[in-house]
Amino acid sequence: MRTSRLVTRCVLGVVAVLGTPFAARGAEPPPPPIIDMHMHVSGPLPRTDSGGVMPRVCLPHGWCDGAPTQAKDDAQVRALTLEAMQRNNIVLGFLSGPVDGVREWVDAAPGRFLAGPFIANPHAVDLDQLRAAYRAGQLQGMGELATQLAGIGPDDPALEPLFALAEEFDLPTLIHLEGIGPREPTFSIAAGRPELLDPVLKRHPGLRIYLENAGFPRLAETISLMYMHPQVYADLSTVTWVAPRAMFYEYLKRLMDAGLGQRLMFGSDQMWWPETIDLGIEAIRSAPFLTEAHKRDIFYNNAARFLRLSPQEIARHHKR
């Protein structure tokens, strides 16, 4: 089953959900469309010892400045996420999480998401069930493949069936492959080296994959991998709000200077904190070295190409 047909269904659903164009309702026209390539079903929100929702963690020291999230449960995370999508004209989101949770979000907001399974333990995956979900059109993407959180690199044989399935169904595939992650005992910095993906891509040349946070902070390895494998794209997600702004800008500028500006895509990685959608968008909009053309590529054009949206789908996104 080709992803483009599934994307068409999602886009038509967006039109049905949003209804009458902004101009016809006498409202201000929306900003240019955005595709968010990294979103999550929240599930149970992490709690502090006092019972409050865990605040965001910022590098290098700890808790981020600013107000904590307004959300108190998964339903509020979903509602606030959809509000942010509407406010910023995010026309499509790549959504990952437990399959049942992803389906709940998709059912609550038809046409807003491309759905994929969040996989941290490849040994626990039921491949037959996963294959059936793709055949039925219940899932349209692979990942986030977050096995690095369990200390498992992409070259581990346990991931081979997942890569083969993604290549067979021509699925856009998101992988956590970078030098940062949650401060948990099972997380492995070494398992996130981008170069570990090289032999995988040689075995699966048709694999359509993108790296979370463009491999941050492993710049040289990321550039090398993307140079050698043109099908590899990357998102700019958590790094837009978890890292110091100057560090993010330095990393992004180096990627742009390397000529990779047409393979970088926006992602919010909003998890339990829907406010990070606005924070991530603002970080890219404020980058002084990005032209308006660069920003349109990052916010929409590159993802549209990666997802292989049809000219008709792209036109619908721009007519709202």
Side-chain angles (χ1 to χ4, degrees), residues 145-155 175-181 186-198 211-219 221-222 225 251:
L145 298 180
T147 60
Q148 185 186 358
L149 278 62
I152 300 173
D155 57 342
I175 187 167
H176 190 290
L177 198 63
E178 55 185 313
I180 60 173
T186 57
F187 178 81
S188 168
I189 295 175
R193 302 200 322 271
E195 66 183 21
L196 297 177
L197 196 59
D198 177 55
L211 312 181
E212 177 174 348
N213 286 321
F216 181 86
R218 291 188 163 112
L219 180 69
E221 283 188 38
T222 298
L225 186 76
Y251 197 81

Side-chain angles (χ1 to χ4, degrees), residues 9-18 34-36 39 81-95 105-115 140 320:
R9 297 179 197 171
C10 291
V11 172
L12 291 175
V14 170
V15 174
V17 169
L18 295 176
I34 294 174
I35 297 174
D36 189 329
M39 308 188 86
T81 294
L82 288 168
E83 286 180 16
M85 292 177 73
Q86 183 74 7
R87 180 170 60 252
N88 291 290
N89 198 15
I90 297 174
V91 294
L92 204 57
F94 186 100
L95 178 72
W105 278 48
V106 169
D107 290 344
R112 304 308 298 266
F113 302 108
L114 298 176
Q140 299 86 37
R320 287 184 49 203

Side-chain angles (χ1 to χ4, degrees), residues 255-276:
L255 291 170
M256 298 297 295
D257 290 344
L260 295 169
Q262 292 193 325
R263 286 156 64 191
L264 304 175
M265 306 179 291
F266 170 73
S268 61
D269 199 5
Q270 94 299 6
M271 295 182 282
W272 304 284
W273 308 290
E275 65 272 13
T276 59

Side-chain angles (χ1 to χ4, degrees), residues 9-304:
R9 297 179 197 171
C10 291
V11 172
L12 291 175
V14 170
V15 174
V17 169
L18 295 176
T20 308
F22 280 73
R25 300 199 301 267
E28 289 293 325
I34 294 174
I35 297 174
D36 189 329
M37 289 297 292
H38 194 148
M39 308 188 86
H40 287 288
V41 168
S42 59
L45 275 62
R47 303 285 175 175
T48 64
D49 292 341
S50 62
V53 177
M54 189 77 71
R56 292 180 292 114
V57 175
C58 284
L59 301 175
H61 300 301
W63 309 127
C64 302
D65 295 332
T69 181
Q70 301 177 47
K72 305 303 178 187
D73 54 34
D74 180 69
Q76 289 186 357
V77 171
R78 183 174 66 231
L80 290 170
T81 294
L82 288 168
E83 286 180 16
M85 292 177 73
Q86 183 74 7
R87 180 170 60 252
N88 291 290
N89 198 15
I90 297 174
V91 294
L92 204 57
F94 186 100
L95 178 72
S96 73
V99 173
D100 289 343
V102 168
R103 288 174 180 168
E104 286 183 13
W105 278 48
V106 169
D107 290 344
R112 304 308 298 266
F113 302 108
L114 298 176
F118 182 91
I119 297 173
N121 180 5
H123 301 285
V125 174
D126 187 322
L127 283 173
D128 290 335
Q129 287 186 358
L130 205 54
R131 180 181 295 274
Y134 288 120
R135 283 178 173 164
Q138 296 170 337
L139 298 173
Q140 299 86 37
M142 175 65 78
E144 178 183 348
L145 298 180
T147 60
Q148 185 186 358
L149 278 62
I152 300 173
D155 57 342
D156 191 290
L159 274 80
E160 185 63 19
L162 296 172
F163 291 134
L165 190 64
E167 187 176 33
E168 175 187 348
F169 282 85
D170 190 29
L171 302 171
T173 300
L174 167 61
I175 187 167
H176 190 290
L177 198 63
E178 55 185 313
I180 60 173
R183 291 170 176 166
E184 297 177 356
T186 57
F187 178 81
S188 168
I189 295 175
R193 302 200 322 271
E195 66 183 21
L196 297 177
L197 196 59
D198 177 55
V200 174
L201 293 167
K202 290 175 180 174
R203 290 194 300 272
H204 301 283
L207 183 61
R208 190 157 38 122
I209 196 164
Y210 63 110
L211 312 181
E212 177 174 348
N213 286 321
F216 181 86
R218 291 188 163 112
L219 180 69
E221 283 188 38
T222 298
I223 292 173
S224 178
L225 186 76
M226 295 180 75
Y227 274 8
M228 296 303 298
H229 299 282
Q231 75 270 39
V232 176
Y233 279 54
D235 80 25
L236 303 170
S237 53
T238 326
V239 67
T240 63
W241 51 265
V242 76
R245 180 67 61 87
M247 179 67 172
F248 166 55
Y249 280 171
E250 179 182 353
Y251 197 81
L252 175 55
K253 189 174 187 306
R254 293 286 299 277
L255 291 170
M256 298 297 295
D257 290 344
L260 295 169
Q262 292 193 325
R263 286 156 64 191
L264 304 175
M265 306 179 291
F266 170 73
S268 61
D269 199 5
Q270 94 299 6
M271 295 182 282
W272 304 284
W273 308 290
E275 65 272 13
T276 59
I277 296 172
D278 293 275
L279 292 175
I281 291 172
E282 187 276 330
I284 292 172
R285 283 181 176 159
S286 299
F289 51 88
L290 294 179
T291 67
E292 288 304 313
H294 293 152
K295 294 171 189 177
R296 292 312 310 144
D297 284 344
I298 292 170
F299 280 132
Y300 184 89
N301 296 333
N302 298 341

